[in-house]
Amino acid sequence: MPQKLVDGFERRVDYLRLSVTDRCNLRCTYCLPAEGFRFLPHEDVLRYEELLRLVHIASGLGISKVRVTGGEPLVRKGILGFLERLCALTEIRDVSLTTNGVLLESLAEELWAVGVRRLNVSLDTLHPAKYAAITGVDAFWKVWQGLCAALDRGFSPVKINVVTMRGVNDDEIEALADITRSYPFHVRFIELMPFQPEGYEERYLSADVVMERLCAMGTLVPARSENGNGPARYYQFLDAPGKIGLISPMSHHFCPSCNRLRITAEGGLRTCLFSDRHVDLRGPLRCGCSDEEIAALILEAVRKKPQRHHVNDGPVFQRKCQSRPMTAIGG
Ligand code: SAM
């Protein structure tokens, strides 16, 4: 595949995060604002045909990995058929899915059948009551059963994404890490990003603090990440079947190796999670532009990909991400 997506800082862009919806069946406190957020009208959301066309065009430019995300991708009607068509695209060598796992137990078999093999599942706590407090829904056991169903079915890796928050789940760092001693999950601790700036300063916990706590649990050895250039640094307890990942977008940003693009549910192309800048692809898709014209828009956006984000340049209390919550961008 020709690699035409190289930005102004010599970074090769080969990874696309594709948001298929901004809707979600959870209301995580750090992700969706308690009020004032309006979901997109259905007609503004890209149709599956449009998403597949964009993937096809992007693959011609060098995109070879696609992660389907949202909102919650599994709540969108017809998602299995879409994933099947996406997995069938020979030019895309890796399709993965990020989900909150609430619907995973019932869909694990079908996800496998359509060709998905890699899953990221969000789970911030092992306490059902705390899960309900964070997400607004009493669904801890559903997610846990979904995770077990995914392992049983053979998905690999199954990654558990934990957003670490002081005073919320920092008392569970050891218990969450301990899961990797019994199960082959990759438990990844992710620094809170200031999409909801209220209370951010009190809740932010750096990955360094998490690492100190993990080191006190036993010998941790660096582990290989299966994908090479992802943002996580991986470790493993001796003889543990699982791995531990640390993702530190705030304290040690990984912009120099950023290889990704995002397309939002309404077709906004974003080259940086933290930037409000986007290029509208839905308009051109719907007004008859050719594949070449759309490819030119993608190339131009990548050429202007920012060198790095500046969200953590100031003091913690001043940190604030752009105007959109994560669910509207695609995490
Ligand atoms: N619904 C799916 C899920 O829950 O995984 C996919 C979308 S969700 C927006 C993707 C990821 O973004 C989740 O792992 C979530 O924890 C993470 N996320 C959302 N807001 C965040 C924030 N403020 N800081 C760090 N991670 C965040």
Side-chain angles (χ1 to χ4, degrees):
M1 199 53 60
Q3 179 59 53
K4 298 183 185 152
L5 292 177
V6 179
D7 72 9
F9 304 94
E10 298 295 314
R11 289 171 298 192
R12 292 162 59 91
V13 173
D14 61 359
Y15 179 33
L16 174 63
R17 289 197 164 210
L18 194 61
S19 174
V20 295
T21 180
D22 63 339
R23 288 167 198 254
C24 191
N25 45 356
L26 298 182
R27 293 287 176 275
C28 299
T29 47
Y30 53 80
C31 187
L32 255 183
E35 49 197 39
F37 178 70
R38 302 237 317 263
F39 292 113
L40 292 167
H42 285 296
E43 61 275 18
D44 286 357
V45 175
L46 292 189
R47 297 186 284 270
Y48 288 136
E49 286 302 331
E50 293 171 324
L51 289 166
L52 288 165
R53 183 171 167 213
L54 285 180
V55 172
H56 172 70
I57 295 169
S59 72
L61 300 173
I63 292 289
S64 58
K65 291 179 275 184
V66 177
R67 173 170 293 282
V68 175
T69 182
E72 172 49 39
L74 296 184
V75 300
R76 181 160 173 187
K77 217 170 141 192
I79 188 69
L80 290 167
F82 168 71
L83 288 169
E84 183 165 27
R85 292 172 71 189
L86 188 60
C87 291
L89 295 176
T90 48
E91 58 271 36
I92 301 299
R93 65 176 169 84
D94 182 43
V95 174
S96 54
L97 177 75
T98 299
T99 171
N100 58 34
V102 173
L103 299 173
L104 185 55
E105 188 186 13
S106 55
L107 292 175
E109 283 295 335
E110 287 162 288
L111 286 168
W112 181 272
V114 300
V116 177
R117 295 291 179 267
R118 297 172 0 91
L119 295 173
N120 285 11
V121 180
S122 303
L123 183 66
D124 301 324
T125 174
L126 297 173
H127 295 296
K130 197 192 287 185
Y131 182 90
I134 295 172
T135 66
V137 181
D138 180 11
F140 170 82
W141 287 111
K142 279 191 181 163
V143 179
W144 185 255
Q145 280 153 9
L147 281 163
C148 294
L151 277 190
D152 286 348
R153 189 61 200 85
F155 287 91
S156 178
V158 179
K159 299 179 184 173
I160 300 180
N161 285 344
V162 179
V163 178
T164 28
M165 293 167 279
R166 194 186 294 283
V168 178
N169 61 355
D170 58 333
D171 56 334
E172 294 187 65
I173 290 170
E174 289 80 3
L176 286 156
D178 225 27
I179 294 176
T180 67
R181 287 174 158 147
S182 315
Y183 299 88
F185 292 124
H186 296 186
V187 174
R188 309 188 320 157
F189 295 98
I190 304 175
E191 286 179 348
L192 181 67
M193 296 178 272
F195 285 96
Q196 303 293 326
E198 312 78 51
Y200 180 75
E201 187 184 355
E202 298 82 60
R203 283 187 294 153
Y204 170 73
L205 188 70
S206 88
D208 292 343
V209 174
V210 176
M211 188 63 188
E212 266 173 43
R213 297 260 300 266
L214 297 173
C215 287
M217 291 176 67
T219 306
L220 265 183
V221 291
R224 224 172 51 84
S225 88
E226 82 292 346
N227 244 352
N229 56 354
R233 290 173 280 143
Y234 281 100
Y235 303 89
Q236 215 160 4
F237 289 119
L238 290 177
D239 300 324
K243 293 181 186 174
I244 295 177
L246 291 168
I247 304 185
S248 47
M250 305 308 296
S251 63
H252 305 278
H253 67 83
F254 32 81
C255 306
S257 60
C258 182
N259 62 341
R260 57 189 61 180
L261 289 182
R262 287 185 154 78
I263 294 181
T264 62
E266 79 270 50
L269 175 67
R270 292 176 173 249
T271 55
C272 173
L273 173 62
F274 294 104
S275 166
D276 252 339
R277 241 178 26 200
H278 70 278
V279 172
D280 172 46
L281 297 178
R282 187 185 64 207
L285 274 172
R286 292 187 180 174
C287 71
C289 283
S290 66
D291 286 4
E292 291 69 30
E293 286 168 314
I294 291 170
L297 291 172
I298 299 174
L299 281 167
E300 178 62 5
V302 167
R303 203 180 56 75
K304 294 183 181 156
K305 183 173 162 74
Q307 183 171 21
R308 53 166 292 211
H309 75 73
H310 296 278
V311 177
N312 56 353
D313 284 358
V316 179
F317 65 87
Q318 277 178 7
R319 289 179 185 172
K320 181 179 178 334
C321 291
Q322 51 175 354
S323 46
R324 289 183 145 219
M326 190 78 153
T327 193
I329 304 169

